[in-house]
């Protein structure tokens, strides 16, 4: 299995790897009407913790934070639109 190497060399910490996986999955799943929102948010939080605690893993925790934040925003917008589309027929009834 290929591990992306951090800029300083060596292996990524498990927290940074978890943040990257959660943020990536959350970003991809966020386009499914916000279903990836919890994953993206958890990835952003793990990335932020990794950014502070594991300076030698940089820039990967920052990538996880950015991907998680983008997934969270996209997920929120799509979730709001899905709820609004669901409630519209109920208002007309």
């Amino acid at each position: 299995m290929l591990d992306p190497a951090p800029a300083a060399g060596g292996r990524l910490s498990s927290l940074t790897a978890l943040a990257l996986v959660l943020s990536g999955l959350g970003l991809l799943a966020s386009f499914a009407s916000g279903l990836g929102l919890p994953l993206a948010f958890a990835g952003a939080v793990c990335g932020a913790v990794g950014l502070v605690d594991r300076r030698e893993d940089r820039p990967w925790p920052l990538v996880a934070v950015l991907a998680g934040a983008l997934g969270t925003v996209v997920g929120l917008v799509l979730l709001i639109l899905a709820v609004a589309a669901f409630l519209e027929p109920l208002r007309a009834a």
Side-chain angles (χ1 to χ4, degrees), residues 4-86:
R11 295 181 57 101
L12 289 175
S13 70
S14 57
L15 180 64
T16 302
L18 178 67
L20 286 168
V21 169
L22 287 175
S23 293
L25 289 175
L27 180 61
L28 291 175
S30 287
F31 291 103
S33 296
L35 293 177
L37 182 63
L39 291 174
F41 183 73
V45 170
C46 288
V49 171
L51 194 60
V52 172
D53 289 346
R54 301 282 304 182
R55 294 186 184 265
E56 61 271 9
D57 283 351
R58 285 189 181 168
W60 295 110
L62 181 62
V63 171
V65 168
L66 293 175
L70 180 63
T72 300
V73 169
V74 168
L76 276 174
V77 168
L78 290 178
L79 185 64
I80 289 169
L81 291 175
V83 168
F86 178 75

